[in-house]
Amino acid sequence: MTLHALTKPWEPMSYGFLDASAKREIRRKMIKAIAVPGCQMPYASHEVPMARGWGTGGLQVSLTLVNPSMRVKVIDQGADDSVNAASIRRFIARVAGTPTTMDTLDADLIQSRHRIPEEVLREDQVLVLQVPNPEPLRPVQPNMSIARQMHADADYGRMWLQLYEQIVRSGRVMQGASYPSLVHGRHVMTPSPIPRWDVPKLHMAKHLTILSAGREKRIFAVPPFTRVEPLVFSDVPYKVEDHADLTCHRSGTRGFFMNEIPQDDGTSVFEVSDSAWGVKAIRRRDGEEVALGETWYKNGKMPS
Amino acid sequence: MAYVATRGGERAIEQSQRLFKAELGDITPERVAEIRSAMPYLIDRVMGEASLYDEDLAALALAQTGGELYEAVLLLRAWRTTQPRIAVAEPVTQDALFTHRRISAAFKDIPGGQVLGPTLDYAHRILATEVLDGQTHRPEPVEPAAKPAPANQPSVAAWQAENGLLRAAVPDTQTGNDIPDVTREPLLFPAKRAHTLQSLARAETGGVLALGYAAQRGYGQAHPTVNELRLAEAEVVVTHPRGTQFSAGRVKVSQAEVVSKKGEQLELGFSATLGWNEVKVIAAATLDLNSKSAPKGSATEEEFFLYHTEGVESSGFCIHFKLPHYVTFQSSLYAMRDAKAKKAAKEKSAEPAE
Amino acid sequence: MSVHPVPSEFEARTNAAFDAIIWAFARPGLMQKLPEAGMSQIVEALIDRECSVHCQDPDLAEMVRRTGAVMVSPDDADHIFVTDVPLTLLDQVRCGSDLHPDDGATLVVDADLSAGARLRLTGPGIAGDVIVTVGGLPGDFWPRRARAMRYPMGFEVLLVDGQRLLGVPRSTTVEVL
């Protein structure tokens, strides 16, 4: 063998930044994550040219999956033009030569922080969610090794107790985003800090969701047609944010998750959080022909 | 047109980077060379935390980030991750280190002698303000000792083990590719010994110091004595595919042994890192010493200090709070308002009828 | 920074192979297509020096060895490539632990995906149920698989027939009709 055989032709950068061995490791872990839905699989999580906590986990998954014919959409808080979404989108396009889009319907791969788009995702689409903290048990058990044992034992008693205490103390479950949910009847998972509004979109969805925490080095998944059930008591039903009756002051669209914009006079106005949806609604209102996809929520209600 | 998806985000981030770079001006080969020669200890610190030994790249990273250390380390780590691993070097043994400085606080004298080497330990910390008045501060020439200190010495712990004062560490028989590598597999607990030492070697100096200092002040169970502190150079010996072994060069390394009495034996804490960084290895060895008997969840427990001294992760997470969080915030607002309304309704219904 | 956003031939092939693999596991029972025929596609996409592999076929084994992977017996392997399934194999395949379900192996098997036993698959990734036809495996393959695993412990099965690929993750319940 020669030194040459151990190396490869010099490239300024691998396609998609990650080298072949980093991609293979992520692929192997993605397979296990899909095979055991909702179970956190540890992975090496290589450093990428972005700060930890800024979507490096999602980015590694996206970079492993992309090819030049895959159209990529990146959103942060629902918006395509949020600075970090713009930064990630630009990076992926730069190192993988992928076309990009803001329209959910045109995207093959959607990397998102804190939101799931309002239009129903198809079975050929992949949603990659960025995850700051992959451990739903952390509020009750900050030690990762003990928490791991609790998952192994399906020991979710303290989780339930915490929810119960919130109801006793505040009259309701206070958990907003990152609502802990039972996946495939076995593993409790954080759906990432998506609002409660978005959690039902994961249940028996057609698309594949991969959740990746780069800093914490954990990857987990919700395959299509998989049960995702928020932890609730049978007599205290799961409630999403009461945005059903809010109207976007810019696009006029109604019945979707909204951003609240405080006004000088002490009131608030609302604008739809899914910016691409808002843009399409405006364009249609202005007479353009725009394809609007089917939405998960209809008239502000999620059909059960 | 107000709401049409703007490219404003992209323009803003582009201009913000230009603003940052404008302040730094041109980055020239001369500037990089000057940083490299003028700031060896800073270079060492950055190389250690990046776990990438290349003085030129470290100097370039410092130049490019204007000395923002966390950014410089991230830049090097991100570069490192793209590099192929073509060989695994032979293990470096302590007695093979070319030693510049080796001191022990445990004994007045040690075999091989106390070798002070380069240090500011006994310097009077007075600013050379004459430089600002236009004068050159020229260091006094070094006067060599009549007899040079021996370059190679075994560790003090080896002598203690021979004398039955401590149990010698069990040699790790794993070699080459079998050595666990924390950059290629996740850190899990209880951590593999190699992962622990690698994580401490690349830990952030300030973080290790904060937790190590907490242990030293009394939040740890073991009080450290510096058994040996060493600054040295190590040969990086690799094997050519033909089978011949050769030195690919020397790297600066620091290592610390700290000990504490446990029953009739001494217990040993150890740390080593790339580059010369005394504070880091003493603090890290203190954490290593304390971790064996640390209660779960304490700052001297391995999981606690290894996670929280990882500088790229901790600094990244810290600054990520600058990112918009208005969706999660909105979700919390809803829960708060709803709870408040429920409480108000309850209080109202509980009011006695007039 | 100069950038090469053009994938090499190897990158394009392994990317496409993994695309088939990931969807095979995300949608058990739906036939996927590898870019080229054979298990070598899977080796290229997944295997390197970090892996422990058991491999029956000598030619494929040579390829696996070149990736730097360690060749081991089936009970130590994280990836197993077999053309003929020995009866005892399913009792040896690593299932991981409750603590680390990810230590369960991936078993890649040559199969006949045109004729053979009719199977009903249910579980994550499947809308309701799906019927597939799988031949070329020992008669008690599926009951043995079920006995060997206790969810979330278990292993993944990839069935390969030329370019065609079918995934059966541990979460899938298989009923022989």
Side-chain angles (χ1 to χ4, degrees):
Chain A
M1 197 189 268
T2 61
L3 269 180
H4 183 72
L6 289 171
T7 58
K8 52 176 182 148
W10 187 83
E11 293 179 292
M13 187 189 286
S14 300
Y15 174 80
F17 185 81
L18 297 176
D19 63 24
S21 78
K23 284 178 185 160
R24 279 189 293 260
E25 199 244 358
I26 294 172
R27 288 175 189 148
R28 295 193 294 265
K29 290 300 161 70
M30 256 194 260
I31 289 173
K32 298 302 159 190
I34 288 169
V36 190
C39 178
Q40 301 166 49
M41 303 303 184
Y43 74 113
S45 188
H46 290 247
E47 265 110 2
V48 289
M50 250 169 238
R52 290 288 202 204
W54 291 60
T56 60
L59 185 63
Q60 289 177 75
V61 169
S62 296
L63 293 176
T64 301
L65 292 175
V66 286
N67 60 58
S69 65
M70 206 177 248
R71 199 169 283 279
V72 176
K73 170 182 166 81
V74 183
I75 48 176
D76 187 337
Q77 315 289 299
D80 298 88
D81 59 343
S82 177
V83 278
N84 203 42
S87 162
I88 292 174
R89 180 173 54 240
R90 194 169 66 151
F91 182 74
I92 296 174
R94 192 172 167 191
V95 300
T98 57
T100 61
T101 183
M102 299 197 183
D103 191 337
T104 301
L105 300 179
D106 290 342
D108 299 306
L109 182 142
I110 301 170
Q111 178 171 334
S112 170
R113 174 169 172 263
H114 298 187
R115 276 311 312 274
I116 298 177
E118 298 289 5
E119 287 161 291
V120 176
L121 297 179
R122 297 183 308 265
E123 49 189 311
D124 59 315
Q125 290 178 307
V126 181
L127 174 67
V128 178
L129 288 172
Q130 300 170 201
V131 182
N133 168 17
E135 183 47 80
L137 297 173
R138 193 154 305 163
V140 295
Q141 180 47 264
N143 188 291
M144 278 183 104
S145 317
I146 301 177
R148 187 154 202 94
Q149 186 66 53
M150 289 163 73
H151 284 291
D153 299 339
D155 171 11
Y156 298 125
R158 286 166 77 180
M159 190 94 236
W160 284 106
L161 182 63
Q162 189 205 31
L163 297 176
Y164 174 74
E165 282 174 352
Q166 288 176 8
I167 293 175
V168 171
R169 222 174 288 134
S170 309
R172 56 162 289 142
V173 173
M174 293 303 286
Q175 182 87 31
S178 316
Y179 198 94
S181 304
L182 187 67
V183 182
H184 185 44
R186 174 58 180 81
H187 286 96
V188 170
M189 159 193 105
T190 172
S192 85
I194 54 174
R196 285 165 168 244
W197 184 269
D198 286 346
V199 178
K201 297 173 182 173
L202 290 171
H203 177 67
M204 297 307 273
K206 294 197 189 93
H207 70 278
L208 167 64
T209 304
I210 299 188
L211 302 99
S212 181
R215 186 178 49 83
E216 299 267 349
K217 305 181 172 69
R218 297 288 184 276
I219 195 165
F220 46 112
V222 178
F225 307 107
T226 300
R227 281 179 290 136
V228 178
E229 297 153 312
L231 295 187
V232 282
F233 298 97
S234 52
D235 52 345
V236 186
Y238 182 75
K239 272 172 74 181
V240 301
E241 293 81 0
D242 60 350
H243 290 194
D245 299 321
L246 300 178
T247 303
C248 172
H249 79 118
R250 295 177 119 163
S251 66
T253 190
R254 191 163 192 267
F256 300 105
F257 191 81
M258 297 284 164
N259 299 325
E260 179 177 351
I261 317 285
Q263 300 296 299
D264 289 343
D265 64 1
T267 62
S268 295
V269 298
F270 295 89
E271 69 176 33
V272 71
S273 155
D274 183 336
S275 69
W277 174 261
V279 170
K280 289 204 290 189
I282 290 174
R283 286 168 53 195
R284 173 172 277 202
R285 186 192 63 195
D286 295 349
E288 252 185 88
E289 225 172 277
V290 183
L292 294 177
E294 191 197 344
T295 54
W296 263 294
Y297 282 79
K298 295 178 176 46
N299 299 317
K301 293 270 173 301
M302 183 86 182
S304 46
Chain B
M1 271 299 280
Y3 196 66
V4 171
T6 57
R7 294 259 161 184
E10 290 184 20
R11 201 187 110 78
I13 57 180
E14 174 63 32
Q15 297 305 319
S16 68
Q17 282 165 45
R18 288 191 190 186
L19 266 174
F20 185 92
K21 288 179 182 173
E23 200 181 355
L24 301 182
D26 293 350
I27 297 169
T28 60
E30 292 73 32
R31 181 186 288 188
V32 174
E34 174 64 17
I35 291 173
R36 179 187 158 157
S37 64
M39 309 270 159
Y41 288 90
L42 184 61
I43 298 279
D44 277 8
R45 176 169 170 175
V46 167
M47 292 192 304
E49 294 178 14
S51 48
L52 175 72
Y53 198 93
D54 187 313
E55 291 164 336
D56 291 319
L57 288 176
L60 175 61
L62 285 165
Q64 220 176 306
T65 57
E68 215 315 347
L69 283 192
Y70 296 107
E71 288 292 338
V73 171
L74 172 57
L75 204 52
L76 290 169
R77 289 254 192 113
W79 191 86
R80 179 190 191 281
T81 187
T82 63
Q83 297 306 301
R85 179 157 100 160
I86 55 173
V88 178
E90 291 300 303
V92 171
T93 56
Q94 288 164 315
D95 49 9
L97 289 172
F98 185 91
T99 303
H100 288 249
R101 167 166 162 81
R102 175 170 171 265
I103 53 171
S104 171
F107 300 100
K108 182 165 187 296
D109 206 356
I110 45 176
Q114 304 265 15
V115 180
L116 277 187
T119 178
L120 286 176
D121 280 354
Y122 307 102
H124 296 145
R125 276 69 163 192
I126 297 166
L127 271 178
T129 48
E130 71 273 16
V131 176
L132 300 182
D133 294 332
Q135 297 175 40
T136 298
H137 180 82
R138 187 156 287 128
E140 304 278 351
V142 176
E143 295 166 3
K147 192 168 146 260
N152 302 97
Q153 282 293 331
S155 72
V156 173
W159 180 86
Q160 288 159 332
E162 273 170 36
N163 288 277
L165 296 171
L166 61 72
R167 251 190 304 278
V170 184
D172 194 334
T173 52
Q174 282 176 312
T175 55
N177 268 322
D178 295 338
I179 299 170
D181 181 344
V182 80
T183 68
R184 294 154 80 91
E185 52 194 30
L187 177 64
L188 298 171
F189 297 94
K192 298 169 182 167
R193 184 65 183 152
H195 281 181
T196 301
L197 293 176
Q198 289 162 8
S199 298
L200 286 174
R202 54 197 248 128
E204 199 263 320
T205 306
V208 173
L209 174 61
L211 295 185
Y213 176 53
Q216 290 161 356
R217 265 190 81 236
Y219 282 88
Q221 295 72 44
H223 184 79
T225 298
V226 173
N227 211 35
E228 176 184 305
L229 170 75
R230 193 188 305 221
L231 301 184
E233 289 177 66
E235 298 277 3
V236 179
V237 176
V238 292
T239 307
H240 190 277
R242 276 198 310 265
T244 39
Q245 288 198 330
F246 64 98
S247 170
R250 278 185 188 169
V251 294
K252 287 202 272 179
V253 292
S254 333
Q255 65 154 33
E257 289 173 348
V258 300
V259 290
S260 150
K261 180 171 67 65
K262 183 147 196 210
E264 291 158 16
Q265 288 268 312
L266 290 171
E267 201 162 19
L268 182 68
F270 179 79
S271 170
T273 190
L274 288 174
W276 288 358
N277 189 339
E278 299 186 4
V279 162
K280 175 162 154 181
V281 288
I282 295 171
T286 303
L287 289 171
D288 183 48
L289 174 69
N290 274 281
S291 68
K292 284 138 201 155
S293 50
K296 268 268 188 234
S298 70
T300 50
E301 187 212 1
E302 199 168 54
E303 176 174 328
F304 191 96
F305 66 74
L306 291 186
Y307 269 131
H308 296 127
T309 58
E310 174 29 73
V312 166
E313 286 166 16
S314 57
S315 65
F317 193 60
C318 180
I319 60 173
H320 116 281
F321 285 102
K322 295 183 288 187
L323 286 174
H325 281 78
Y326 51 81
V327 165
T328 42
F329 188 73
Q330 191 72 52
S331 195
S332 307
L333 269 186
Y334 163 68
M336 273 166 52
R337 284 170 175 160
D338 190 46
K340 213 166 155 186
K342 278 201 167 81
K343 198 173 168 197
K346 206 172 164 189
E347 277 165 7
K348 200 163 178 214
S349 67
E351 275 171 22
E354 304 242 345
Chain C
M1 183 178 71
S2 41
V3 170
H4 275 210
V6 181
S8 64
E9 209 179 297
F10 177 84
E11 164 69 30
R13 194 168 59 236
T14 52
N15 178 277
F18 181 65
D19 195 56
I21 297 168
I22 192 176
W23 284 109
F25 285 125
R27 301 300 310 276
L30 287 196
M31 202 72 75
Q32 306 296 330
K33 197 171 166 221
L34 289 166
E36 289 166 31
M39 291 182 181
S40 59
Q41 302 292 299
I42 297 161
V43 172
E44 278 187 335
L46 299 182
I47 303 300
D48 56 31
R49 62 192 332 140
E50 327 256 313
C51 299
S52 312
V53 176
H54 178 75
C55 182
Q56 264 179 355
D57 179 76
D59 290 340
L60 193 68
E62 183 46 40
M63 180 184 179
V64 169
R65 218 170 270 120
R66 274 202 306 274
T67 69
V70 194
M71 303 301 277
V72 293
S73 59
D75 49 344
D76 281 329
D78 45 47
H79 291 80
I80 300 175
F81 296 84
V82 285
T83 30
D84 288 304
V85 182
L87 273 178
T88 53
L89 180 73
L90 293 188
D91 306 327
Q92 292 172 279
V93 183
R94 257 171 41 180
C95 288
S97 60
D98 283 326
L99 213 50
H100 286 288
D102 48 315
D103 287 340
T106 301
L107 174 60
V108 186
V109 188
D110 252 339
D112 182 348
L113 297 178
S114 316
R118 288 180 71 237
L119 311 174
R120 175 186 286 131
L121 312 184
T122 50
I126 303 164
D129 63 359
V130 62
I131 311 285
V132 295
T133 306
V134 177
L137 301 176
D140 60 348
F141 184 90
W142 299 107
R144 259 185 192 253
R145 165 187 174 270
R147 278 200 301 277
M149 305 194 309
R150 187 175 58 74
Y151 189 85
M153 293 190 283
F155 53 85
E156 279 54 68
V157 180
L158 256 187
L159 303 166
V160 186
D161 182 354
Q163 261 182 290
R164 294 194 296 163
L165 192 64
L166 207 60
V168 186
R170 71 190 76 177
S171 57
T172 302
T173 306
V174 179
E175 190 190 340
V176 184
L177 300 176

